[in-house]
Amino acid sequence: MLSRRRFRRIGVFEICNTLLMLAVCFITLYPMWFVFINSLNAPEQAMLGTVNWFPKEISLSSYSVVFQDKSMMNGFYITTLRTVIGTSVHVLFTAIVAYGMSKQHLIGRKLYLKIALVTMLFSGGLIPTFILMTKLGLYDHFLVFIIPAMYTFFNMVIFMSFFRTIPDGLEESAKVDGASDYGVLFKIVLPNSMAVIATIALFSAVYHWNDYYQGVIYIHSPDMLPLQTLLYKIIAENSMSFMQQQAMAQFGARLPGNSIKFASMMVATLPILIFYPFIQRYLVKGVMIGAIKG
């Protein structure tokens, strides 16, 4: 317990602030904990619909059904492939564009920035974008996940701000040794930009992993649906019949739909949660790049 002197030193404001932060943490973490607990509950407990802090009887039957479902595993593969390729292409393409834009002597640089700013504030709309994707042959094609997300103006500005902090002497010395612009970018600039690369990679990876909308609009073939789109269909359309039939054949009992939904949510969420802590330390540094002049 805190002593009276220590209690007076902390003050009422600090205590209220601590309690407020604890409440925010609880509100943030409890929904995930609720989903996790109910995904582990035995079918009999899950059918009761009670709220528990811990599973009364642990059962992995829901996870077994999810992992044995071919559509879910195919969606997991599509989402993983999309995240890896989409993030790599986005970081590479955005870095190349930002490196050119960071040069003051680039002809038409201000005009390019103004045009790019317009694309950040306004979009073409759903129907024109759908027509464009169809005319480009991207409808029901894997590249519809990759090409539209190759570049964003916001991430380009972050890259450009960081590139300006790299001393010009490094690039000049490399050019004296005969390096081209691409040689300077890939051998000098990018190796010294790991903080901003990690930040943009995190932004892009989270977007690709969590996005379901592209699959809903542009994908018709069931074999091309990402994991998040499948999860959206399970939750929104309550399409649990096939997976529940699998549970009936495997366990001799009909698993409740909510139990399978919670297990599907955990399978779709855990990979990005596991990946995040390894790159989170770069996030604040990357976001603050270029925010302070001096």
Side-chain angles (χ1 to χ4, degrees):
M1 294 180 63
L2 295 175
S3 64
R4 292 182 179 178
R5 184 176 302 176
R6 178 63 175 171
F7 180 81
R8 292 173 182 174
R9 188 182 304 172
I10 293 177
V12 177
F13 176 78
E14 286 78 5
I15 294 177
C16 293
N17 187 47
T18 302
L19 293 177
L20 178 61
M21 293 301 297
L22 290 175
V24 171
C25 291
F26 174 78
I27 294 173
T28 304
L29 297 177
Y30 178 72
M32 178 62 67
W33 180 253
F34 176 81
V35 172
F36 177 67
I37 290 303
N38 282 275
S39 68
L40 290 177
N41 258 330
E44 297 79 10
Q45 296 294 330
M47 292 181 66
L48 297 177
T50 57
V51 178
N52 303 312
W53 289 102
F54 300 98
K56 293 185 177 181
E57 184 179 350
I58 296 178
S59 174
L60 299 179
S61 55
S62 298
Y63 286 95
S64 179
V65 172
V66 170
F67 281 110
Q68 290 184 10
D69 184 61
K70 293 182 179 180
S71 62
M72 291 293 292
M73 290 299 98
N74 184 72
F76 190 89
Y77 170 75
I78 293 294
T79 301
T80 303
L81 191 65
R82 170 190 178 178
T83 302
V84 173
I85 297 177
T87 300
S88 303
V89 171
H90 177 80
V91 171
L92 177 62
F93 187 80
T94 307
I96 293 175
V97 175
Y99 179 69
M101 289 294 187
S102 65
K103 303 305 175 184
Q104 298 290 338
H105 59 270
L106 179 66
I107 299 176
R109 174 177 171 275
K110 292 184 178 179
L111 177 61
Y112 297 151
L113 290 176
K114 290 179 181 179
I115 294 175
L117 181 60
V118 172
T119 64
M120 182 179 178
L121 300 176
F122 304 98
S123 64
L126 176 60
I127 296 178
T129 304
F130 181 84
I131 295 175
L132 175 63
M133 296 302 166
T134 304
K135 294 295 184 181
L136 292 176
L138 296 179
Y139 181 76
D140 206 22
H141 197 284
F142 179 77
L143 290 180
V144 77
F145 300 132
I146 308 301
I147 294 179
M150 287 178 62
Y151 166 85
T152 59
F153 179 74
F154 178 79
N155 291 343
M156 190 272 290
V157 171
I158 297 178
F159 260 122
M160 187 173 60
S161 300
F162 185 86
F163 290 159
R164 289 175 179 172
T165 63
I166 298 178
D168 295 334
L170 289 176
E171 300 183 26
E172 293 174 359
S173 61
K175 290 184 177 180
V176 169
D177 292 335
S180 62
D181 289 331
Y182 282 102
V184 172
L185 174 63
F186 289 107
K187 296 181 180 180
I188 303 297
V189 176
L190 291 184
N192 290 282
S193 307
M194 296 310 298
V196 68
I197 289 176
T199 302
I200 301 303
L202 178 62
F203 289 161
S204 180
V206 171
Y207 162 75
H208 280 290
W209 187 270
N210 291 333
D211 177 63
Y212 73 95
Y213 191 68
Q214 297 286 94
V216 173
I217 301 299
Y218 301 116
I219 299 299
H220 176 71
S221 174
D223 295 333
M224 290 295 298
L225 290 176
L227 181 62
Q228 304 297 343
T229 304
L230 287 171
L231 185 60
Y232 165 79
K233 290 179 178 294
I234 289 174
I235 296 175
E237 302 175 7
N238 198 24
S239 56
M240 305 298 300
S241 57
F242 179 71
M243 299 177 76
Q244 287 178 333
Q245 290 174 5
Q246 286 184 316
M248 177 75 73
Q250 183 177 356
F251 302 103
R254 185 177 180 86
L255 285 176
N258 286 337
S259 181
I260 301 178
K261 287 181 183 179
F262 291 143
S264 302
M265 291 179 189
M266 292 304 302
V267 171
T269 306
L270 276 180
I272 200 68
L273 291 179
I274 295 173
F275 170 75
Y276 183 81
F278 294 99
I279 203 170
Q280 183 258 351
R281 60 193 181 101
Y282 296 105
L283 182 61
V284 177
K285 182 178 179 180
V287 172
M288 292 299 294
I289 288 169
I292 301 176
K293 296 183 178 180

